[in-house]
Amino acid sequence: MQGMNATTGRAMSGLAHIQQSITDILTTPIGSRVARRRYGSEVPELMDQPLNNATILRVYAATAYAVRLWERRIDLTDMQFEVGQGGAASLILSGTTDGQSVQLAVDVRQGSAA
């Protein structure tokens, strides 16, 4: 599928387009898009919760559900949650697309440190 880079406006496709799409899905709160109220995920809401095992499990479930619903080009097989310095958080997603194994890193919460 051919798409557009959200930053540059240039054409993009393949794995880069899938990663951009998943990042957009996971960082968009449900109900925040006027024309597509159901679009997005519960992940932004969960990032305001204490990052304990229960919350991380909920992040995994919200991610799997949202990616399955909105990004059909990838089948997730595994995910890991990583917390960096300054509160930055990323999901490392593993899956298959077009019969090939892929791994994507998606920032789900930006840290306050510059």
Side-chain angles (χ1 to χ4, degrees):
M1 175 180 198
Q2 188 79 3
M4 182 177 71
N5 185 307
T7 306
T8 66
R10 294 187 175 167
M12 71 184 320
S13 62
L15 193 56
H17 190 252
I18 293 172
Q19 182 166 5
Q20 176 182 275
S21 175
I22 291 174
T23 300
D24 186 63
I25 292 163
L26 296 182
T27 58
T28 301
I30 294 173
S32 64
R33 292 258 176 112
V34 175
R36 296 174 80 182
R37 291 285 184 195
R38 295 178 54 206
Y39 179 82
S41 75
E42 295 178 353
V43 173
E45 178 183 322
L46 294 169
M47 290 297 100
D48 290 336
Q49 304 295 316
L51 289 180
N52 56 30
N53 288 338
T55 303
I56 292 171
L57 183 61
R58 291 179 65 200
V59 168
Y60 289 160
T63 299
Y65 180 77
V67 170
R68 184 75 176 154
L69 183 63
W70 295 108
E71 185 50 77
R72 300 282 176 119
R73 295 176 290 173
I74 188 168
D75 290 316
L76 294 180
T77 57
D78 188 39
M79 60 183 95
Q80 296 175 353
F81 189 82
E82 294 184 355
V83 178
Q85 292 183 339
S90 298
L91 281 167
I92 309 301
L93 306 176
S94 299
T96 58
T97 182
D98 294 330
Q100 295 184 355
S101 295
V102 295
Q103 192 171 52
L104 306 169
V106 177
D107 291 332
V108 291
R109 180 171 73 179
Q110 298 296 321
S112 57

